[in-house]
Amino acid sequence: MSFKELGLSEPILKSLEDLEHTKPSEIQQQAIPVILAGKNIMAAAQTGTGKTGSFVLPMLEMLHEQAKPYSKNVHALVLTPTRELAAQVRESVHSYGKLTNITSTAVFGGAKIFPQKAKLKKGVDILVATPGRLLDLVNQKAVKLDQVQILVLDEADHMLDMGFIHDIKKIIAMTPPTRQNLLFSATFSPEIKKLAQSLGD
Ligand code: AMP
């Protein structure tokens, strides 16, 4: 199974080639076609399995195929528990998407808010964020989430462990109910299952 057979197209294939990612990992083989078909997924995945590519690659594919009628709006939102993971996911978006016209940024706490606001003002297609800082930015009217088509909860179990559940629920309520939901978690506790169910309401 090649990345091309999974439904990815140039210029994403070219970036993968440059990165010497020759073969999709197990989770990438399973998740990419399902995500490209527009379905919601709930995936059990540890770091190191290629899980980031399993949602970043189809997300880039879907957004790159769209004409961008609302270029100033966020089309895909990735929530992560930590600033380190946010930066890492954004780096993947950047490297896999370097030959597309898709724009992205990461926002997280513990860093100055003004430069983050300035980037958001220019408009980004893919926003990677930690929940608390994202809510601050929404409250300051620096970003709107009403055009989000794809919502990713990355390391959802860590986000719940860190007490982000109320922030996550507030954020979900600001996105359109028609969005596609992608939930990644290393474990599937009853809390995670409850969160997954609430995404479908
Ligand atoms: P992740 O599990 O998303 O944290 O990815 C772990 C590492 O594997 C990262 O350094 C990726 O760049 C790398 N990686 C992801 N997918 C592939 C692939 N299909 N082939 C080779 N390396 C990959």
Side-chain angles (χ1 to χ4, degrees):
M1 181 69 73
S2 67
F3 280 112
K4 193 171 182 179
E5 285 167 318
L6 291 179
L8 300 177
S9 59
E10 304 282 351
I12 296 158
L13 293 172
K14 175 79 178 74
S15 305
L16 284 163
E17 205 181 298
D18 292 348
L19 290 164
E20 296 180 359
H21 291 192
T22 46
K23 197 179 170 304
S25 70
E26 188 64 35
I27 185 163
Q28 290 166 358
Q29 292 190 31
Q30 287 183 20
I32 292 173
V34 181
I35 298 172
L36 286 178
K39 298 199 178 116
N40 292 339
I41 67 162
M42 198 165 132
Q46 310 275 356
T47 299
T49 55
K51 77 165 160 76
T52 314
S54 76
F55 62 85
V56 168
L57 291 164
M59 204 157 79
L60 287 167
E61 180 69 32
M62 289 189 282
L63 296 178
H64 138 80
E65 282 188 343
Q66 287 177 12
K68 294 199 260 169
Y70 307 108
S71 61
K72 291 259 167 185
N73 291 309
V74 172
H75 298 286
L77 173 65
V78 183
L79 293 181
T80 71
T82 63
R83 71 184 94 162
E84 290 78 14
L85 185 60
Q88 207 178 305
V89 170
R90 199 269 161 160
E91 184 49 42
S92 291
V93 170
H94 196 65
S95 53
Y96 291 137
K98 68 177 181 190
L99 302 173
T100 70
N101 60 353
I102 292 167
T103 55
S104 62
T105 195
V107 296
F108 39 77
K112 286 198 178 105
I113 202 164
F114 180 76
Q116 298 180 352
K117 282 168 100 166
K119 279 204 186 122
L120 289 170
K121 208 169 169 188
K122 288 190 202 152
V124 290
D125 298 309
I126 300 178
L127 178 61
V128 188
T130 53
R133 176 55 62 96
L134 178 61
L135 280 179
D136 283 348
L137 287 159
V138 170
N139 291 336
Q140 294 185 32
K141 307 218 178 317
V143 63
K144 280 171 73 179
L145 304 177
D146 57 357
Q147 299 294 331
V148 169
Q149 300 163 20
I150 307 166
L151 172 70
V152 184
L153 301 182
D154 193 10
E155 298 194 359
D157 48 349
H158 285 166
M159 288 201 279
L160 296 195
D161 290 347
M162 290 170 74
F164 283 133
I165 187 69
H166 296 294
D167 287 353
I168 292 173
K169 286 196 163 161
K170 276 188 212 160
I171 292 165
I172 291 170
M174 292 171 192
T175 63
T178 49
R179 69 184 181 263
Q180 185 177 6
N181 302 305
L182 314 178
L183 185 148
F184 291 81
S185 186
T187 56
F188 279 95
S189 61
E191 287 75 23
I192 293 286
K193 288 186 186 145
K194 232 166 96 183
L195 174 64
Q197 275 163 7
S198 75
L199 283 168
D201 290 343

